[in-house]
Amino acid sequence: MRVLITGAAGFLGSHLCERFLHEGAEVVGLDSFITGTPDNIAHLLGHPRFRFMKYDVTNFVYIAGPIDLILHFASPASPKDYLSNPIQTMKVDSIGTLNTLGLARAGGARYVLASTSEVYGDPEVHPQPEDYWGHVNPVGPRSVYDEAKRFAEALVMAYHRVYGLDVRIVRIFNTYGPRMRADDGRVVPTFIVQGLRGEPLTVYGDGTQTRSFCYVDDLIEGVYRLATHDGLAGTILNLGNPQEVMIHAVAHLIKELTGSASPIVFKPLPKDDPRRRQPDISRARTLLGWEPTVPIREGLLKTIRYFQEVLK
């Protein structure tokens, strides 16, 4: 199998490159390094089945030779990143999606879009199943990501209906683990870095808002199964951990695991920040036999060890 992965030097993209190489595939990776980093793929550069190109997929995409599978994972994904790069975020999820779909259509490749739980917005249905249409502010600050991903999903499904393209959409819920950036801005790396540095742990809002945290190895396993199982054309799938936890509980747990004496401080909740977030993964269980297996304490310890090395 020859696989194209966009966003290959990002947090999830680099883990996907590793997984497909491990399974014997030839991998072509693209990344513009807006949020990805060469460090994430440095250990792969000498691999005989890995080829990397620094490239922005909002430009026309051409890859010589056959491509069997495209995984479109190029996009800023943390609020800090997409609020800092709003236009580029919207371009990579619209024009970048169009360009990579065109490549898939030209070569008859299977196509997997990395979408997000953010398509559900601040949900009024809980937990969120795939057939929930969401509750999104279309002109708020987060819309540059939320609506870009919703458009990307619509575009992918249009290619499926019009051209018969074998497409799959994965709606990714909060994922954490090694290779997240220290300045990522998302809650797990922020709390870990603050705890290791002895800084106050910053909780936005009162901390009772919830998220469902999935360790990266579990998430990659789900993506791999979705991408490689036959008979799933047109499938839209939640991947995430159905264990819902409050943010202040995560702060206390990370404070404990890092051995930090730092205080926990509270700041105002950002506009349109979701109050609750929990995936219904019934479809993933049924179609893929998938569910997370790494407990949050174990996953956080692995992530803390990674950041201990990074921050030396």
Side-chain angles (χ1 to χ4, degrees), residues 187 189-204 251-252 254-255 258 260-267:
V187 63
T190 298
F191 286 166
I192 290 174
V193 171
Q194 289 171 337
L196 292 175
R197 289 176 172 168
E199 300 170 352
L201 275 65
T202 306
V203 172
Y204 292 92
H252 283 285
I254 289 177
K255 180 177 174 178
T258 58
S260 173
S262 300
I264 295 174
V265 298
F266 295 85
K267 294 187 177 182

Side-chain angles (χ1 to χ4, degrees), residues 3-311:
V3 182
L4 174 68
I5 300 175
T6 73
F11 166 46
L12 295 181
S14 61
H15 285 278
L16 280 172
C17 290
E18 277 186 340
R19 178 59 187 269
F20 277 92
L21 289 170
H22 176 76
E23 299 291 342
E26 180 183 348
V27 175
V28 178
L30 304 181
D31 203 296
S32 66
F33 296 139
I34 287 180
T35 56
T37 171
D39 292 343
N40 285 342
I41 53 169
H43 63 296
L44 301 177
L45 294 179
H47 196 290
R49 285 185 279 105
F50 182 66
R51 176 188 173 201
F52 177 79
M53 293 184 289
K54 183 178 183 295
Y55 197 78
D56 184 342
V57 294
T58 63
N59 298 312
F60 177 78
V61 178
Y62 171 76
I63 303 295
I67 296 289
D68 302 296
L69 171 65
I70 297 173
L71 297 108
H72 183 34
F73 273 66
S75 177
S78 76
K80 177 182 176 182
D81 288 337
Y82 59 70
L83 293 175
S84 299
N85 300 280
I87 306 302
Q88 186 62 25
T89 298
M90 298 195 79
K91 286 177 68 177
V92 75
D93 287 314
S94 56
I95 301 169
T97 303
L98 183 65
N99 288 340
T100 49
L101 280 167
L103 182 65
R105 182 190 172 206
R110 182 176 291 174
Y111 188 94
V112 179
L113 173 70
S115 188
T116 171
S117 60
E118 295 293 333
V119 300
Y120 300 123
D122 191 5
E124 296 176 318
V125 171
H126 194 80
Q128 294 81 57
E130 290 89 351
D131 58 4
Y132 174 50
W133 291 356
H135 178 230
V136 174
N137 178 353
V139 293
R142 297 173 72 102
S143 67
V144 299
Y145 185 62
D146 301 357
E147 293 289 23
K149 287 296 189 183
R150 286 160 70 94
F151 175 83
E153 288 195 8
L155 190 57
V156 165
M157 292 308 295
Y159 265 70
H160 173 61
R161 296 185 186 104
V162 174
Y163 300 120
L165 199 65
D166 183 347
V167 303
R168 293 103 192 270
I169 295 171
V170 53
R171 291 177 179 161
I172 298 170
F173 284 67
N174 296 73
T175 307
Y176 69 98
R179 298 194 200 133
M180 298 186 91
R181 300 195 329 269
D183 63 349
D184 177 285
R186 283 178 281 196
V187 63
V188 169
T190 298
F191 286 166
I192 290 174
V193 171
Q194 289 171 337
L196 292 175
R197 289 176 172 168
E199 300 170 352
L201 275 65
T202 306
V203 172
Y204 292 92
D206 61 6
T208 60
Q209 68 270 32
T210 67
R211 296 293 184 270
S212 304
F213 294 99
C214 185
Y215 187 64
V216 63
D217 289 357
D218 283 331
L219 190 283
I220 295 302
E221 175 64 27
V223 173
Y224 181 80
R225 293 187 192 186
L226 177 63
T228 57
H229 275 47
D230 292 331
L232 296 180
T235 297
I236 301 169
L237 201 69
N238 288 337
L239 288 182
N241 194 327
Q243 180 186 358
E244 183 184 16
V245 293
M246 291 185 181
I247 294 299
H248 70 69
V250 177
H252 283 285
L253 179 56
I254 289 177
K255 180 177 174 178
E256 172 199 337
L257 295 177
T258 58
S260 173
S262 300
I264 295 174
V265 298
F266 295 85
K267 294 187 177 182
L269 195 67
K271 181 176 174 59
D272 298 329
D273 196 71
R275 292 294 308 175
R276 301 187 75 184
R277 188 60 63 72
Q278 180 188 15
D280 180 335
I281 62 167
S282 302
R283 188 177 293 180
R285 288 188 175 115
T286 300
L287 295 179
L288 304 179
W290 177 90
E291 61 184 313
T293 61
V294 179
I296 189 168
R297 178 178 286 265
E298 178 185 335
L300 286 175
L301 283 170
K302 291 180 179 180
T303 309
I304 288 166
R305 286 194 287 271
Y306 167 78
F307 278 107
Q308 285 172 330
E309 291 298 315
V310 168
L311 299 176

